[in-house]
Amino acid sequence: MPRHFILGAVVLLAAVGCAPGAHSADLPQEPADDLTTILSGALPDGIVGNISPAGKDLVRYDDGSGAVVLQVSVRRLLREFLDQATLCPPLSQGPYDQCVRTTEPDGAYVTVNQGFAEAKNPAGIQRWSATLGTPEGGIVALTEWNAPTPGSTGASRPHPPLTPEQLRSIVTAPAWERAWTRLAEPPTPPAAPSRGNLDPEQILDVLRQHVRPPLEITRTYAGGPGYVEATVNSTGGPTLVTITVQHWTDPSALTALVTKSRRRPDGTQLATHHQKLPTGATQDDLDVFTPTGTRILITQLNAAAPGLPPTSKSGPLTTPQQTALAETLLHQTS
């Protein structure tokens, strides 16, 4: 089917990493006109619409069924960050109807997320996106709303105009390669703590051992090695538990990071922190770290996610239960 597409001037943002000693202005950047051509050619056959400038990396799209905005970005990451950059977002960052990440035959990741513009309003403006992460470090991302601006309070149409399949088709178009390959590879950042040696399923297995009736785990999120989130239903409603497992090559850095800790005879230190959030919910942290650099942070909210009101009087686990959970995880890492 021939493509009928009216395309106006469009401004796209290409985030450029700077090599040591170089200025971003000196690095080759893909001209906006070329990116416009790529976007036009990547649209599926049969798409009819008009794109016009909306400022910065936003473009306005109107197919006659309600004007919306799209956001397109092309950038480049170090290869070791591609996995994290293409993961579905954590539950605590906001609800979504569906988020799926698949692996292409060439090793590229494609993530399609049907979410919402506001975490507090999962029935409000829809925000759908697709992100491609190539094995060479190229990132292509396309986001759409069913509203004339990202901050709109009213929808212009029932759903964003491009289906999840169409979003996926656009970001995986071969023509984008010439955009990200012109960008300089970013410099290697300073060393950061690793995520330890526990995969998410190991952590979740341990968490399930410590969550007993009437508590029930109803939803989980695996954020890559060393990080999980779980929605735990208590008598009041859904609450959130997050677990982070790290390994620090310089254990002395943890002493400055965690204050007011109590030390055990084996050198392991434990710190607890309780705070009341602006929504009225509470957050309880247990931070445990060993002389060898292993750190386990368990955080719980008496709410379904940050920014939401409380659903119960306290988080699902007591401090002794958090401590027992951390000790089991420490045993797993040894």
Side-chain angles (χ1 to χ4, degrees):
M1 179 183 295
R3 179 181 293 110
H4 304 286
F5 182 71
I6 306 171
L7 187 65
V10 59
V11 179
L12 302 180
L13 174 66
V16 182
C18 299
H23 299 287
S24 59
D26 301 329
L27 299 175
Q29 301 184 42
E30 188 73 4
D33 288 345
D34 287 354
L35 290 175
T36 302
T37 302
I38 295 172
L39 178 61
S40 174
L43 286 166
D45 289 342
I47 291 292
V48 179
N50 174 265
I51 283 184
S52 59
K56 204 175 181 180
D57 57 341
L58 297 176
V59 297
R60 194 174 307 283
Y61 175 81
D62 191 353
D63 61 359
S65 298
V68 302
V69 287
L70 310 178
Q71 185 177 44
V72 186
S73 67
V74 177
R75 56 198 175 102
R76 194 163 185 174
L77 294 178
L78 292 174
R79 296 168 184 80
E80 56 263 38
F81 298 135
L82 286 175
D83 180 66
Q84 290 295 316
T86 55
L87 286 173
C88 287
L91 300 175
S92 60
Q93 289 186 7
Y96 45 79
D97 281 337
Q98 186 175 25
C99 183
V100 177
R101 187 179 80 164
T102 56
T103 303
E104 300 292 287
D106 64 354
Y109 295 119
V110 180
T111 305
V112 179
N113 183 359
Q114 293 174 260
F116 301 90
E118 296 183 31
K120 298 180 182 180
N121 187 15
I125 301 301
Q126 295 173 341
R127 180 183 183 275
W128 293 1
S129 65
T131 302
L132 167 73
T134 73
E136 298 80 14
I139 295 285
V140 179
L142 174 63
T143 301
E144 59 174 345
W145 291 260
N146 61 334
T149 66
S152 297
T153 57
S156 56
R157 56 197 296 155
H159 303 289
L162 301 171
T163 67
E165 292 75 19
Q166 289 170 331
L167 286 171
R168 177 188 176 89
S169 173
I170 292 172
V171 299
T172 56
W176 290 110
E177 183 175 358
R178 76 170 182 261
W180 62 258
T181 52
R182 288 172 57 90
L183 304 179
E185 187 169 308
T188 302
S194 68
R195 288 292 187 91
N197 61 353
L198 293 185
D199 65 48
E201 282 306 315
Q202 287 179 285
I203 299 173
L204 287 171
D205 285 344
V206 173
L207 178 61
R208 293 184 183 104
Q209 296 172 22
H210 290 266
V211 173
R212 307 289 176 82
L215 300 178
E216 180 186 10
I217 297 176
T218 58
R219 191 176 184 185
T220 61
Y221 169 82
Y227 185 79
V228 301
E229 294 182 355
T231 299
V232 180
N233 273 6
S234 63
T235 54
T239 60
L240 183 71
V241 174
T242 67
I243 301 175
T244 303
V245 180
Q246 298 175 335
H247 182 74
W248 292 62
T249 55
D250 180 12
S252 63
L254 286 169
T255 303
L257 184 67
V258 181
T259 58
K260 296 183 179 179
S261 63
R262 60 183 187 274
R263 185 184 297 270
R264 290 181 170 179
D266 64 357
T268 298
Q269 297 185 62
L270 294 86
T272 57
H273 181 65
H274 173 85
Q275 61 177 316
K276 189 169 184 178
L277 305 178
T279 59
T282 58
Q283 176 176 321
D284 290 283
D285 301 323
L286 173 70
D287 213 335
V288 180
F289 52 99
T290 70
T292 58
T294 297
R295 181 192 188 195
I296 294 176
L297 175 63
I298 300 173
T299 296
Q300 60 175 350
L301 300 173
N302 62 338
L308 297 182
T311 56
S312 60
K313 292 183 178 180
S314 62
L317 303 175
T318 64
T319 299
Q321 287 174 323
Q322 280 183 294
T323 303
L325 173 58
E327 289 175 342
T328 305
L329 289 168
L330 280 177
H331 179 73
Q332 294 280 341
T333 62
S334 59

